Amino acid sequence: MLRRRGRLDLRQQLRGPAGRGASAVRFDAGGRVTSAYRVLSGTTLNCAGGATPWGAWLSCEEHDWGLVYETDPRGVKAARPRPAMGRFKHEAAACDPDRKAVYLTEDQPDGCFYRFTPKTWGDLADGTLDVMVGTGTGPVGWQRVPNPQLWVTPTRAQVSGAMRFDGGEGCYYAGGVCYFTTKGDNRVWAYDAEEGRLDIAYDDDLVTGGEAPLHGVDNLTGAASGDLYVAEDGDDMEINVITPDGVVAPFLQVLGHDESEITGPAFSPDGRRLYFSSQRGESGFVGGTDGFTFEVAGPFRR
């Protein structure tokens, strides 16, 4: 069942004094909206981000000098910038608790894929930023970015042999694999962190036997079943599912939002509800306040 959740009644609560940043919407156990509040203010072009195992939310700025901010979704602790994670055009972040690292995508046509390893897991104030190096699919490695915080040469150009990705978007980790998307070539990548290997999980150019089901790849998330849910930026405004055995199929479509994009797919902690937003809503106005948040009630495959 698809429901639209709190747009008009929450809009005033979500407007912070600086007009920019990130906000949280709180739901009760039944999925009812109970409150909404600002968790980050005064930032620029915040994008996908990602959750941490210790309950924080990483909000990423999508511009050349962009920072990652660690925020408290409960609105209790003040947001903190994490410059050690690099200053670049950030998109999304995914935590790998097994290797105690955070993977980061970069939304540039010649962007890179990064790994941040904090000195102490759970404290992102200090650590090492590495960039993926290699020649394509297959075995890959990592090399340290010499100057990730204040640079004349952008982070993506500091390491010879750094792999290039055409517009990094969503990022999601599960079961030893970090999945991330690139919009320029419409691919879903799979980095096997245990094997140190990079493969392609989906590429619309490799689909045979008819029209490719998924275009405009953007944010993604996963379910307990191992299914990936990949949102589209534009195209026909669908979320597609990619199963562990490689089946790709439309899961839902948002009608009447033709100039918008689907953002932020995320499951509730119990895995029974899927939330996502239409960034520009029915108006399609860039910078407007016509966004929608939707809830999909399961059950989902487990």
Side-chain angles (χ1 to χ4, degrees):
M1 180 182 297
L2 177 65
R3 304 186 184 97
R4 188 178 76 190
R5 287 297 187 186
R7 181 172 69 101
L8 296 176
D9 56 332
L10 297 179
R11 188 177 299 174
Q12 188 62 40
Q13 297 179 61
L14 294 176
R15 285 176 178 158
R20 296 173 177 176
S23 299
V25 180
R26 183 180 290 274
F27 302 87
D28 65 16
R32 290 176 292 273
V33 176
T34 60
S35 63
Y37 43 88
R38 177 75 56 166
V39 297
L40 175 64
S41 296
T43 54
T44 303
L45 294 173
N46 292 76
C47 209
T52 72
W54 51 90
W57 179 264
L58 304 179
S59 184
C60 300
E61 289 185 306
E62 189 185 357
H63 61 84
D64 286 342
W65 287 90
L67 288 167
V68 175
Y69 288 81
E70 186 174 358
T71 73
D72 178 9
R74 295 168 181 81
V76 177
K77 299 179 181 178
R80 293 160 292 178
R82 297 306 191 194
M85 301 181 78
R87 297 187 73 115
F88 56 87
K89 197 174 181 181
H90 287 275
E91 177 78 20
C95 288
D96 175 353
D98 303 310
R99 274 148 290 278
K100 297 180 172 55
V102 184
Y103 303 107
L104 302 159
T105 55
E106 181 178 24
D107 192 356
Q108 296 276 15
D110 61 344
C112 293
F113 186 60
Y114 299 91
R115 181 187 67 185
F116 178 73
T117 306
K119 285 188 174 180
T120 302
W121 185 234
D123 181 357
L124 303 177
D126 196 11
T128 301
L129 184 70
D130 297 310
V131 65
M132 181 176 282
V133 294
T135 57
T137 56
V140 293
W142 298 94
Q143 189 168 329
R144 184 170 184 169
V145 176
N147 194 1
Q149 296 191 43
L150 297 173
W151 46 260
V152 175
T153 302
T155 54
R156 65 186 184 279
Q158 291 183 23
V159 174
S160 176
M163 290 190 65
R164 302 298 172 179
F165 296 95
D166 193 355
E169 292 286 340
C171 193
Y172 172 76
Y173 175 86
V177 179
C178 185
Y179 300 93
F180 62 99
T181 60
T182 49
K183 62 186 178 185
D185 47 17
N186 213 54
R187 287 179 173 177
V188 180
W189 300 83
Y191 168 62
D192 187 328
E194 295 179 354
E195 300 294 332
R197 179 181 177 87
L198 182 68
D199 290 295
I200 297 173
Y202 174 81
D203 183 337
D204 61 348
D205 290 335
L206 301 180
V207 174
T208 59
E211 175 65 23
L214 173 59
H215 299 283
V217 298
D218 202 279
N219 292 170
L220 77 164
T221 191
S225 61
D227 293 334
L228 293 178
Y229 289 78
V230 185
E232 289 183 333
D233 178 353
D235 195 53
D236 51 3
M237 286 289 287
E238 290 181 344
I239 293 180
N240 275 242
V241 62
I242 303 178
T243 69
D245 53 358
V247 175
V248 183
F251 172 71
L252 62 80
Q253 183 179 25
V254 180
L255 301 176
H257 294 224
D258 298 342
E259 301 302 319
S260 187
E261 64 179 277
I262 296 176
T263 63
F267 281 94
S268 60
D270 60 9
R272 296 181 179 179
R273 298 185 301 274
L274 173 68
Y275 294 95
F276 67 93
S277 297
S278 169
Q279 187 181 79
R280 294 181 289 276
E282 294 171 318
S283 72
F285 175 61
V286 176
T289 56
D290 194 36
F292 289 73
T293 295
F294 294 91
E295 175 194 274
V296 183
F300 296 91
R301 300 198 324 160
R302 300 188 68 83

